[in-house]
Amino acid sequence: MSKQSHEKEADFIAVFAIESMAMVIKSGLQWKDFALINSEILSKSILQDLSDGYRMEYMDTAMHAQMWLHLSWMGDKEKQYYKEGIQSYADYCKEHGITNRLIDAYMTWDFQIPDFLQEWQSMKEKCASQVSVRQDRKR
């Protein structure tokens, strides 16, 4: 992921995943931070970074599989908390043709990956209709 800094230099975040653990390297103006974290925490960290203005440059299919699983396990409140990051990630997936079918074809798991993009769209529509009902009640 990358983000343009105030000094016109790009800050970056690189993630190297191995099975259920990952190493994250963050580079800013003068510092680097290394952390070893599990994949659920990594998914949330990526969503937060996307919310903070970072742009996804590349993600391998195995990490997409982890992200889609974690997103399908998140409750509605948690999805609301990360909604900007989730929307940015959903846009990236749509733009790059990342689907549950692509992930299923790549992964050798005994189950199918839930369709995160469909779930996210349904949740957005549900929230929009609830807002519309509240506005109608105020009138």
Side-chain angles (χ1 to χ4, degrees), residues 78-132:
E78 199 169 17
K79 286 179 181 171
Q80 282 298 318
Y81 179 81
Y82 290 108
K83 68 182 176 185
E84 288 88 10
I86 293 173
Q87 186 59 57
S88 178
Y89 178 66
D91 292 343
Y92 175 89
C93 289
K94 288 176 191 173
E95 182 180 327
H96 291 87
I98 308 299
T99 65
N100 61 324
R101 290 184 190 160
L102 173 81
I103 294 169
D104 282 336
Y106 178 82
M107 302 304 290
T108 56
W109 292 340
D110 294 336
F111 59 90
Q112 289 186 315
I113 294 288
D115 190 346
F116 147 70
L117 292 176
Q118 184 178 12
E119 290 175 8
W120 180 243
Q121 186 62 36
S122 295
M123 183 181 162
K124 285 181 11 183
E125 289 170 3
K126 177 181 164 185
C127 289
S129 68
Q130 289 173 348
V131 168
S132 177

Side-chain angles (χ1 to χ4, degrees), residues 5-126:
S5 70
H6 298 301
E7 285 77 19
K8 305 285 185 207
E9 293 181 22
D11 290 342
F12 73 88
I13 299 173
V15 177
F16 305 95
I18 301 170
E19 296 181 12
S20 63
M21 298 299 286
M23 181 171 66
V24 178
I25 302 171
K26 293 185 178 186
S27 172
L29 298 174
Q30 305 271 326
W31 59 276
K32 289 183 182 172
D33 180 28
F34 299 89
L36 194 60
I37 58 177
N38 72 37
S39 58
E40 182 178 0
I41 294 170
L42 175 61
S43 297
K44 292 176 183 178
S45 176
I46 289 170
L47 294 175
Q48 187 61 56
D49 291 336
L50 291 171
S51 294
D52 291 343
Y54 281 87
R55 186 172 55 96
M56 182 82 62
E57 299 289 346
Y58 171 79
M59 180 182 284
D60 76 353
T61 307
M63 189 61 217
H64 281 295
Q66 293 296 324
M67 287 287 291
W68 282 49
L69 283 176
H70 294 142
L71 287 165
S72 71
W73 297 337
M74 278 185 177
D76 288 349
K77 279 187 172 185
E78 199 169 17
K79 286 179 181 171
Q80 282 298 318
Y81 179 81
Y82 290 108
K83 68 182 176 185
E84 288 88 10
I86 293 173
Q87 186 59 57
S88 178
Y89 178 66
D91 292 343
Y92 175 89
C93 289
K94 288 176 191 173
E95 182 180 327
H96 291 87
I98 308 299
T99 65
N100 61 324
R101 290 184 190 160
L102 173 81
I103 294 169
D104 282 336
Y106 178 82
M107 302 304 290
T108 56
W109 292 340
D110 294 336
F111 59 90
Q112 289 186 315
I113 294 288
D115 190 346
F116 147 70
L117 292 176
Q118 184 178 12
E119 290 175 8
W120 180 243
Q121 186 62 36
S122 295
M123 183 181 162
K124 285 181 11 183
E125 289 170 3
K126 177 181 164 185

